[in-house]
Amino acid sequence: ATTEIHTLSLHDALPISKSIAKGAPRKYSMHDLKILVETNVLNDIGLDSGSGYDMNRMSAKSLLGKLNRGGMWMFKTSEGIVRRGTVLAAYEAGRKRGMTHEEAIAFAKDVNRKSNFDYGVADAPNIFRRGSIVSQLALQFKKYGIKELEVMADMFPTNSKTSRKQKAIFWGTYFLTAGLMGLPMLDFFDKWPFDGKLKLSVEECLMEAAGGDPLGKKLATAALFGVAATVPGIDLSNRAGLSDVIPTRGSDLMGATLSKTANLISDSLKGNGMSAIRDVSPGIYNIVAAARGYSKGKRGRVNDRYNTFYDRVLRAMGFKSTDERVNSDIDRIVRMRKSAQTSREQEAIDDYIDEPTSVNRQKLKELGISDKRVETERKKKQQDRRGRTQTGMNKKGKTQNERLMQFGE
């Protein structure tokens, strides 16, 4: 879908829908089949190949290998359609520009490589090729993002390789697809300087501004998650965006194989059957969740229900609906607000105890903090850690922790 964006000018390119349509048929004309064979697109190494490191792949004959292959079927199918459509569209565009057959074939191969990437070892970034097996595993599913960053580098405003028109089309399409939540490396900046509050604060601001106004909701949704989040109701910001291109958690550095294995063992021991299925194959999990009509989170609580046929189709295909994303983020925003409110109350109490002025007294009143709560905190400040621990226990707690407290005497 990005073929025309950074390789062809707009008037040379076929519409995206036509490119996909050309790659979808199960039977091709002899002319198209010849192009597909000569460009070798039918043998492309896809993202599912473990980034080209075949020694890391599960055995195709093993149960896990079969489940993994089955779960990736839809992904591989859609990727194949895009690659074939890209090649056929690029070849046709090249011929229209006056290229010979051989030149158009070479052009189509180059467009396919630049837009859909080559996941073989030869085209891997240095961090993959020169790193150890650890870096290969840890970054296995980061390769697409890294390759996309290479495209973005070509589209950077100061880069002379591409025209202003190409840059405008690329970045315009990117923001329309991924929205603000798909900004490159947003998760990294959200995690470190802002302690996980940047993204939620942006969402909070736009959601509050829109409220229940239908037009405002659509505009805010499109700005946050992309245009697809409005009409089809699909959140593509995590799929098409590059907010998570830089690992931000320790588990990210374990790589997909090790982290999924660890999760599988943990969920199996806890009896979380559905989570264990997701650890083995997210694709199969999505289909099962769609068939059941709901998904569950911690403590067996229902997170989302899939009441309509469309909702179930989206879940089965592995997409997150806009409603799922919005409801999840609203829950996180509310919890963030509660945490912030608690911090403000604690700060106001501490300020008043330190300086019992009328200004600080007014802050307590505005926050609805009672005198009893202030006095309780005043007493706690004079107690040591053991004293505060005992004060917080009821009769049953004191009985349960009697031996433990005796040990600390």
Side-chain angles (χ1 to χ4, degrees):
T2 57
T3 299
E4 300 86 357
I5 296 172
H6 66 278
T7 308
L8 301 175
S9 60
L10 185 61
H11 68 275
D12 288 327
L14 288 174
I16 301 296
S17 58
K18 283 191 177 182
S19 298
I20 295 176
K22 289 180 76 67
R26 306 234 1 208
K27 291 184 179 180
Y28 295 92
S29 65
M30 290 300 297
H31 172 72
D32 287 350
L33 187 59
K34 179 181 179 182
I35 296 170
L36 296 176
V37 170
E38 291 190 28
T39 55
N40 201 38
V41 68
L42 300 177
N43 296 316
D44 275 357
I45 297 177
L47 183 59
D48 68 296
S49 68
S51 297
Y53 298 99
D54 288 344
M55 71 284 288
N56 297 329
R57 299 176 68 184
M58 302 177 194
S59 170
K61 296 181 180 180
S62 69
L63 175 60
L64 288 178
K66 291 178 180 178
L67 290 174
N68 181 62
R69 190 170 64 254
M72 292 294 287
W73 176 83
M74 191 169 295
F75 176 84
K76 291 179 64 176
T77 300
S78 60
E79 185 181 18
I81 290 173
V82 171
R83 287 179 178 274
R84 293 190 298 272
T86 296
V87 164
L88 293 174
Y91 175 86
E92 184 173 328
R95 293 290 282 173
K96 286 182 178 179
R97 294 170 62 176
M99 295 182 184
T100 64
H101 171 74
E102 290 74 17
E103 290 173 337
I105 289 291
F107 176 70
K109 291 170 68 174
D110 187 54
V111 167
N112 182 44
R113 181 182 62 80
K114 288 181 178 179
S115 59
N116 297 316
F117 313 138
D118 175 6
Y119 294 105
V121 179
D123 194 43
N126 283 337
I127 193 172
F128 288 88
R129 291 189 286 114
R130 300 184 182 182
S132 65
I133 188 69
V134 176
S135 68
Q136 295 169 11
L137 281 170
L139 297 170
Q140 177 174 341
F141 291 104
K142 296 293 183 182
K143 188 172 184 182
Y144 175 85
I146 293 173
K147 298 296 291 183
E148 186 68 14
L149 286 179
E150 293 178 1
V151 176
M152 289 183 170
D154 289 341
M155 296 297 164
F156 204 71
T158 57
N159 195 313
S160 60
K161 294 181 180 179
T162 50
S163 67
R164 291 181 181 178
K165 185 176 184 179
Q166 289 173 319
K167 291 180 176 70
I169 295 174
F170 176 84
W171 289 110
T173 303
Y174 182 84
F175 284 114
L176 287 175
T177 304
L180 292 174
M181 294 299 103
L183 282 172
M185 298 175 283
L186 181 60
D187 284 2
F188 177 80
F189 294 110
D190 177 63
K191 178 72 175 178
W192 300 112
F194 296 98
D195 194 28
K197 298 177 182 178
L198 174 62
K199 293 173 65 176
L200 288 179
S201 297
V202 172
E203 292 186 60
E204 178 186 26
C205 180
L206 291 181
M207 289 178 180
E208 281 279 1
D213 179 65
L215 178 59
K217 288 171 64 175
K218 286 186 179 297
L219 292 175
T221 300
L224 290 170
F225 313 117
V227 173
T230 56
V231 181
I234 305 174
D235 173 29
L236 296 180
S237 59
N238 287 334
R239 299 298 182 87
L242 295 177
S243 62
D244 63 344
V245 68
I246 298 179
T248 56
R249 300 173 298 177
S251 58
D252 291 338
L253 301 178
M254 294 172 62
T257 304
L258 294 179
S259 62
K260 286 297 182 183
T261 300
N263 291 339
L264 174 61
I265 294 173
S266 175
D267 289 327
S268 298
L269 292 175
K270 294 177 181 178
N272 298 333
M274 285 295 290
S275 296
I277 292 175
R278 179 168 49 193
D279 297 332
V280 174
S281 174
I284 294 177
Y285 167 82
N286 291 328
I287 294 173
V288 174
R292 296 176 68 178
Y294 60 87
S295 63
K296 288 187 175 182
K298 294 180 180 179
R299 299 176 61 187
R301 294 175 174 177
V302 174
N303 280 343
D304 299 284
R305 297 187 184 277
Y306 313 112
N307 297 318
T308 67
F309 177 73
Y310 182 69
D311 291 339
R312 297 194 179 204
V313 169
L314 285 184
R315 179 75 270 181
M317 294 178 65
F319 289 112
K320 176 177 284 190
S321 70
T322 304
D323 288 342
E324 282 186 81
R325 175 64 186 269
V326 168
N327 289 331
S328 173
D329 289 353
I330 287 176
D331 178 62
R332 293 170 60 208
I333 290 171
V334 170
R335 284 188 278 115
M336 181 181 71
R337 284 181 166 183
K338 288 181 179 179
S339 177
Q341 176 69 13
T342 300
S343 297
R344 285 194 295 269
E345 291 174 359
Q346 291 173 345
E347 183 179 349
I349 293 173
D350 292 343
D351 288 344
Y352 181 76
I353 292 175
D354 291 339
E355 297 182 39
T357 63
S358 59
V359 174
N360 288 335
R361 179 73 179 177
Q362 181 62 28
K363 288 182 181 179
L364 295 179
K365 186 177 180 180
E366 291 173 355
L367 292 171
I369 300 172
S370 65
D371 292 341
K372 182 179 179 181
R373 185 175 170 185
V374 175
E375 290 306 311
T376 299
E377 178 59 29
R378 194 193 303 274
K379 292 178 182 179
K380 285 184 177 181
K381 288 188 184 301
Q382 301 304 316
Q383 295 175 321
D384 58 17
R385 183 175 298 172
R386 180 180 178 85
R388 286 193 297 271
T389 302
Q390 290 178 315
T391 301
M393 292 182 188
N394 55 24
K395 185 176 181 180
K396 184 177 180 180
K398 290 179 179 179
T399 302
Q400 289 177 336
N401 296 297
E402 181 179 5
R403 300 278 294 177
L404 186 65
M405 300 306 295
Q406 288 175 350
F407 183 83
E409 292 178 353

